[in-house]
Amino acid sequence: MRRGPLTTGEKVQFTDRRSNKITDQLVPGGVTQTSHGIILHDDVIGQLEGSVVVTVSAKRETQINQDHPERDANKPWKGTRAIGGWQFAVMRPRLADYVLSMPRGAQIMYPKDIAQVIQLGDIRSGMNVLESGAGSGAMSINLLDAVSESGRLTTIEMRSEFARVAEANATVYFGGRPAWWDLKTGDFDSVAATLPEHSFDRIMLDMLDPWNRLEQAYRVIAPGGVLVAYVTTTTQLSRMAEALREAGCWTEPDIQETLERDWKAQGLAIRPDHQMIGHTGFLMVSRAMAPGFQALRKRDRATKDTTTDIDSLSAEERAEQLEDLELRDISDRKLRKVLRDLDAQVEAIGD
């Protein structure tokens, strides 16, 4: 963990009074462009966290985006309006802030889901963890932080370019490439086949078809180890759950999703934010049984059919199934009361 004055090469977060945030890397002679002027990095390097810096006053024409000057072509007043003098507080970004602001090639997991993976997966310092799917490195960085230098993270990423993005993001965050990270490129089954049996305490799967990777996952996970799978659609969710049950060597999966909603509190004006982060994905958590032992399963009722597709039944079979649903009919007394209430409401309309 970094403390003390801010140094060259560090990522910092600038926050103004409206809670607008900008994350940038400090470079000698560098600048961070904002909508209220530029921040000189030389004014920030050597300062302590929590310091306030002020944007430089200058004409807008000196701060036009060189890559897209056409964006201001039809706004001549911007070239004459002086801007600057805007205050920003400087902090080192939290891990959640860094993950959301870092360059990405693949879509990242949101901090709300990452936090649940760490907690529900019981991933702690000193553990040996296997991860499939590095993406842009959001989950990898959090896993590296969780297992710490006393543990070990092995990540398998199929695409070499994604592996490079993840490695670079982790290197910038930790100030150097983490020595306790083994980043491998290739498909999961082929790479996992080279790993020692029962050598991993935890496994995190973030891929399109995790149900096809359960055989190798079980081979390399230790008995009692925790498997966490992240999927985004209900079809993936169903296939993964049924595959875990069919394998017989995984406990009944726990399934959940997390919704996130911010609140605003200013005096007596307290209300939820108008926007929220709804569904992003499902988390499935299961544990590995010891070799030779079958997972315990809840017995389904004989009258409860959860597997037959109603479209595959004949008309007679559908009728029989509806009878077996044991739907409770409304009593005559209840029906008379409902009709009386509705008749009264209809008459009230005419009045």
Side-chain angles (χ1 to χ4, degrees):
M1 180 177 178
R2 295 177 178 177
R3 295 186 176 90
L6 301 169
T7 59
T8 299
E10 279 195 87
K11 282 287 189 76
V12 295
Q13 187 176 71
F14 302 105
T15 308
D16 69 4
R17 64 186 183 217
R18 297 174 180 171
S19 296
N20 297 315
K21 295 178 173 59
I22 302 173
T23 302
D24 204 357
Q25 186 177 26
L26 294 178
V27 179
V31 299
T32 296
Q33 185 168 338
T34 78
S35 58
H36 297 279
I38 58 176
I39 300 172
L40 302 179
H41 289 186
D42 290 341
D43 293 344
V44 181
I45 296 172
Q47 297 285 345
L48 293 175
E49 287 187 81
S51 300
V52 175
V53 295
V54 180
T55 57
V56 175
S57 298
K59 287 189 176 181
R60 180 71 181 184
E61 60 187 1
T62 66
Q63 302 179 56
I64 292 178
N65 190 330
Q66 298 301 316
D67 295 330
H68 300 282
E70 69 280 0
R71 293 179 180 175
D72 291 332
N74 297 323
K75 303 174 183 177
W77 64 87
K78 284 193 172 183
T80 60
R81 186 182 64 182
I83 58 176
W86 197 259
Q87 293 181 320
F88 285 85
V90 187
M91 301 282 183
R92 290 184 174 94
R94 301 172 302 164
L95 179 51
D97 297 322
Y98 179 84
V99 163
L100 291 176
S101 65
M102 68 186 189
R104 64 185 71 170
Q107 178 61 40
I108 64 169
M109 288 180 63
Y110 276 85
K112 69 183 182 70
D113 296 320
I114 293 175
Q116 290 291 75
V117 170
I118 300 296
Q119 180 66 32
L120 299 177
D122 191 36
I123 299 172
R124 293 174 276 121
S125 177
M127 286 187 167
N128 193 17
V129 177
L130 175 63
E131 176 195 21
S132 178
S136 298
M139 189 73 246
S140 301
I141 293 172
N142 279 269
L143 291 174
L144 287 165
D145 190 63
V147 302
S148 72
E149 297 184 35
S150 61
R152 188 77 179 171
L153 173 66
T154 300
T155 300
I156 303 174
E157 171 56 53
M158 179 172 290
R159 300 181 60 174
S160 59
E161 59 270 30
F162 285 175
R164 289 179 56 193
V165 172
E167 184 175 22
N169 280 324
T171 299
V172 172
Y173 178 77
F174 288 102
R177 193 190 188 286
W180 61 103
W181 190 20
D182 187 8
L183 178 57
K184 299 178 181 293
T185 304
D187 68 274
F188 181 82
D189 285 344
S190 299
V191 177
T194 66
L195 302 175
E197 290 187 12
H198 309 309
S199 56
F200 290 95
D201 304 300
R202 306 289 186 259
I203 295 180
M204 168 60 195
L205 299 179
D206 179 9
M207 52 176 51
L208 290 175
D209 59 342
W211 53 88
N212 289 327
R213 311 293 168 240
L214 293 180
E215 182 178 353
Q216 283 298 332
Y218 183 74
R219 191 187 70 83
V220 299
I221 198 170
V226 180
L227 171 76
V228 183
Y230 177 78
V231 296
T232 58
T233 68
T234 54
T235 51
Q236 291 174 304
L237 177 69
S238 175
R239 294 191 67 175
M240 184 61 177
E242 294 308 315
L244 288 167
R245 296 183 181 113
E246 185 178 350
C249 53
W250 301 96
T251 60
E252 180 67 17
D254 293 325
I255 305 169
Q256 66 171 252
E257 67 171 337
T258 303
L259 310 180
E260 179 181 322
R261 182 173 70 175
D262 292 333
W263 280 70
K264 294 184 179 295
Q266 186 173 6
L268 298 178
I270 301 175
R271 61 174 178 79
D273 202 347
H274 293 307
Q275 295 180 330
M276 66 177 291
I277 301 176
H279 171 77
T280 50
F282 301 102
L283 289 179
M284 307 183 64
V285 183
S286 183
R287 304 193 68 173
M289 300 292 292
F293 289 88
Q294 287 285 313
L296 304 179
R297 298 284 180 234
K298 179 182 178 181
R299 291 175 179 167
D300 291 331
R301 290 187 302 167
T303 58
K304 187 176 182 180
D305 185 359
T306 60
T307 59
T308 301
D309 188 341
I310 193 169
D311 289 336
S312 66
L313 302 178
S314 65
E316 294 77 10
E317 290 173 330
R318 291 184 194 179
E320 291 178 2
Q321 190 176 64
L322 289 175
E323 293 178 1
D324 293 339
L325 287 177
E326 299 178 345
L327 296 176
R328 182 179 178 182
D329 292 330
I330 186 172
S331 67
D332 292 338
R333 180 179 178 183
K334 175 67 174 178
L335 181 58
R336 288 194 298 269
K337 182 180 184 303
V338 169
L339 290 173
R340 283 199 305 269
D341 291 342
L342 287 173
D343 288 341
Q345 295 176 30
V346 171
E347 289 178 3
I349 295 177
D351 296 341

